[in-house]
DNA sequence: CGAAATTGGGTTGCATCTCA
DNA sequence: TGAGATGCAACCCAATTTCG
């Protein structure tokens, strides 16, 4: 075939570079990959020519040779939480950042407990080398499926099966510490509003709350604990009951619930922290900017994404990695849980 | 119609060449 | 003679095309 320069549009491959430089494509491949024996002079010559002609490796071809796709699947939850909880976007940003840096692309899909067909499609059609699950359920069909298929995957969260790669924040410890801090700060009747207990993270946070209460020899009062509050209406009803029960602090399992609590308290014309204190087991910008700002646990979700991605890609590359990694947290005390002056000793 | 060849660009095991 | 440099050719995989 006659080779004609096509105004920079023509994609050149290592064959043409080899022909141009009078060497074999093996030599070109070695110069580019840095693998195998090659003289410094030859490597320099090849790399210079690659630079000059704007060579870009064809990742499909590389994938073919390596039996890899160089894609990593990212599964987000298929529900409205996606819009309301910034966690997933931030986690995804971290994943994409790390994936790009490691020569991979992120292929994003959504799935739910009821329907994991998107994940099956990804795997069956060989679109990805591995998968990152950004939410885990106590009974998780995605995890079961990926285990069954022997697909490399990691959960950005926790799972009961110790053989599953996991990276998570220290939710139990963090929630225990914040609960304990609130109790130390003279919150005497703490009410708890939690979301879907099917989610692993909800289990962890609730466990942390119980541990914090136990630390102060407080019993969990059924009339002050509201779980599986999945809707704004349920949260609103919980707040109404909590107010009747004269709790002095509402502890919210996550930022979405906390937003709904704040809206409800606003409707009721209640003042924070004078009438009631509020804290959240998850932070977000809205809670930070709220007046008064809301005490919350802060996690670096972007870092969580980065670490999850690095772990699974390292694992795919055959490196030995830790089975479970924990990331830290910060407790950010803000005016929403400040002691009222007249209560101070 | 089924079987075999071809296609894509890069990687790699092994053979061969070169030169001190 | 042997270590380093280089090249040949099979291979990756699955869809598509060609052949008998």
């Amino acid at each position: 075939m006659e080779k004609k320069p096509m105004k920079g549009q023509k994609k050149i491959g290592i064959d043409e570079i080899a022909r141009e430089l009078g060497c074999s494509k093996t030599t070109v491949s070695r110069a580019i990959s840095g693998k195998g024996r090659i003289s410094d002079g030859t490597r320099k010559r090849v790399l210079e020519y690659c630079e000059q002609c704007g060579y870009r490796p064809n990742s499909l071809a590389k994938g073919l040779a390596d039996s890899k796709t160089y894609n990593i699947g990212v599964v987000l939850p298929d529900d409205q939480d996606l819009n309301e909880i910034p966690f997933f976007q931030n986690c995804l940003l971290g994943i994409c950042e790390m994936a790009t840096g490691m020569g991979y692309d992120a292929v994003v899909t959504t799935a739910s407990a009821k329907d994991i067909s998107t994940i099956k499609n990804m795997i069956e059609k060989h679109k990805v080398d591995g998968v990152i699950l950004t939410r885990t359920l106590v009974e998780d069909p995605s995890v079961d499926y990926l285990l069954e298929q022997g697909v490399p995957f990691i959960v950005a969260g926790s799972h009961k099966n110790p053989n599953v790669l996991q990276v998570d924040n220290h939710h139990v410890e963090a929630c225990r510490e914040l609960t304990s801090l609130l109790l130390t700060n003279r919150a005497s009747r703490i009410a708890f509003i939690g979301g879907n207990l099917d989610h692993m993270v909800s289990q962890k946070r609730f466990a942390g709350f119980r541990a914090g209460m136990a630390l102060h020899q407080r019993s969990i009062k059924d009339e002050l604990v509201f779980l599986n509050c999945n809707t704004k209406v349920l949260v609103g009803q919980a707040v109404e009951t909590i107010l009747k029960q004269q709790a002095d602090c509402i502890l919210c399992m996550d930022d979405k619930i906390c937003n709904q609590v704040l809206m409800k308290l606003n409707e009721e014309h209640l003042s924070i922290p004078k009438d009631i204190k509020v804290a959240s087991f998850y932070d977000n910008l809205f809670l930070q900017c709220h007046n008064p700002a809301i005490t919350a646990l802060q996690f670096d979700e972007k870092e969580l994404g980065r670490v999850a991605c690095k772990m699974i890609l390292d694992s795919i590359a055959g490196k030995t990695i830790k089975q479970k990694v924990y990331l830290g947290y910060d407790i950010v005390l803000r005016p929403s849980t400040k002691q009222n002056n007249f209560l101070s000793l």
Side-chain angles (χ1 to χ4, degrees):
Chain A
M1 282 288 276
E2 183 72 22
K3 56 172 175 1
K4 309 171 189 162
M6 293 168 72
K7 293 177 186 171
Q9 289 298 311
K10 176 92 174 82
K11 291 176 195 162
I12 77 158
I14 62 171
D15 258 329
E16 284 161 88
I17 295 170
R19 212 180 308 130
E20 208 62 38
L21 294 176
C23 63
S24 75
K25 60 180 192 170
T26 306
T27 303
V28 176
S29 173
R30 285 188 186 130
I32 293 164
S33 70
K35 294 177 193 165
R37 281 208 287 231
I38 186 169
S39 71
D40 287 345
T42 307
R43 173 180 292 120
K44 191 155 171 269
R45 203 160 65 93
V46 172
L47 293 180
E48 268 171 11
Y49 185 77
C50 287
E51 175 75 33
Q52 185 192 320
C53 67
Y55 167 75
R56 289 284 173 275
N58 182 326
S59 61
L60 280 179
K62 183 169 165 50
L64 184 60
D66 295 343
S67 294
K68 284 183 179 165
T69 65
Y70 291 101
N71 288 326
I72 186 78
V74 182
V75 183
L76 302 174
D78 179 18
D79 60 34
Q80 57 174 359
D81 284 358
L82 205 51
N83 310 318
E84 296 180 44
I85 302 186
F87 167 83
F88 297 104
Q89 288 99 306
N90 291 329
C91 185
L92 182 60
L93 284 175
I95 291 171
C96 290
E97 186 186 302
M98 183 59 72
T100 304
M102 294 179 74
Y104 268 75
D105 289 306
V107 175
V108 180
T109 190
T110 58
S112 67
K114 293 190 201 88
D115 182 9
I116 62 162
S117 57
T118 52
I119 301 179
K120 287 184 174 172
N121 185 56
M122 239 183 201
I123 302 305
E124 283 165 9
K125 293 184 178 166
H126 308 268
K127 295 195 176 194
V128 296
D129 295 339
V131 172
I132 301 173
L133 300 176
T134 58
R135 171 188 278 164
T136 40
L137 307 174
V138 177
E139 297 300 330
D140 200 319
S142 310
V143 170
D144 296 342
Y145 171 74
L146 294 170
L147 277 174
E148 183 189 303
Q149 296 295 314
V151 176
F153 74 104
I154 187 167
V155 302
S158 288
H159 193 265
K160 61 193 169 190
N161 185 338
N163 296 320
V164 170
L165 289 183
Q166 311 174 35
V167 53
D168 204 359
N169 297 110
H170 265 302
H171 289 290
V172 177
E173 289 76 357
C175 296
R176 183 186 62 208
E177 204 178 323
L178 178 53
T179 305
S180 173
L181 252 175
L182 293 171
L183 289 167
T184 308
N185 253 0
R186 295 198 178 76
S188 55
R189 278 177 67 76
I190 297 184
F192 184 84
I193 305 181
N196 197 336
L197 282 182
D198 293 339
H199 300 170
M200 276 304 298
V201 67
S202 300
Q203 296 279 343
K204 296 254 165 188
R205 288 176 183 161
F206 187 45
F209 169 68
R210 291 198 309 267
M213 294 290 276
L215 209 60
H216 291 252
Q217 288 85 43
R218 302 294 183 89
S219 59
I220 305 281
K221 297 194 170 56
D222 287 346
E223 69 272 20
L224 289 178
V225 174
F226 301 83
L227 298 169
N228 293 310
C229 292
N230 306 324
T231 65
K232 195 181 165 190
V233 172
L234 285 173
V235 171
Q237 288 169 356
V239 172
E240 281 170 19
T241 312
I242 287 166
L243 294 173
K244 279 181 200 146
Q245 294 289 332
Q246 299 190 315
D248 58 0
C249 179
I250 300 178
L251 196 37
C252 307
M253 186 180 269
D254 62 39
D255 46 336
K256 177 185 165 188
I257 290 173
C258 195
N259 287 345
Q260 292 167 347
V261 165
L262 293 175
M263 279 191 266
K264 182 69 182 178
L265 292 177
N266 188 45
E267 282 169 22
E268 301 288 330
H269 306 293
L270 289 167
S271 167
I272 304 168
K274 189 161 75 68
D275 300 321
I276 194 158
K277 296 176 184 175
V278 175
S280 171
F281 278 170
Y282 213 88
D283 201 14
N284 73 17
L285 201 60
F286 179 76
L287 303 185
Q288 289 167 35
C289 299
H290 186 267
N291 187 19
I294 307 298
T295 288
L297 290 175
Q298 220 168 48
F299 303 98
D300 189 343
E301 53 256 299
K302 200 172 168 188
E303 179 65 8
L304 188 76
R306 280 192 212 103
V307 173
C309 186
K310 176 156 176 37
M311 281 174 71
I312 189 63
L313 294 186
D314 278 348
S315 171
I316 289 168
K319 295 186 191 167
T320 314
I321 57 162
K322 281 192 186 168
Q323 202 70 18
K324 174 136 195 177
V325 168
Y326 280 105
L327 302 183
Y329 59 90
D330 282 313
I331 295 178
V332 188
L333 293 175
R334 300 202 181 100
S336 72
T337 53
K338 280 264 163 63
Q339 286 180 55
N340 296 321
N341 286 334
F342 63 88
L343 280 177
S344 301
L345 286 175

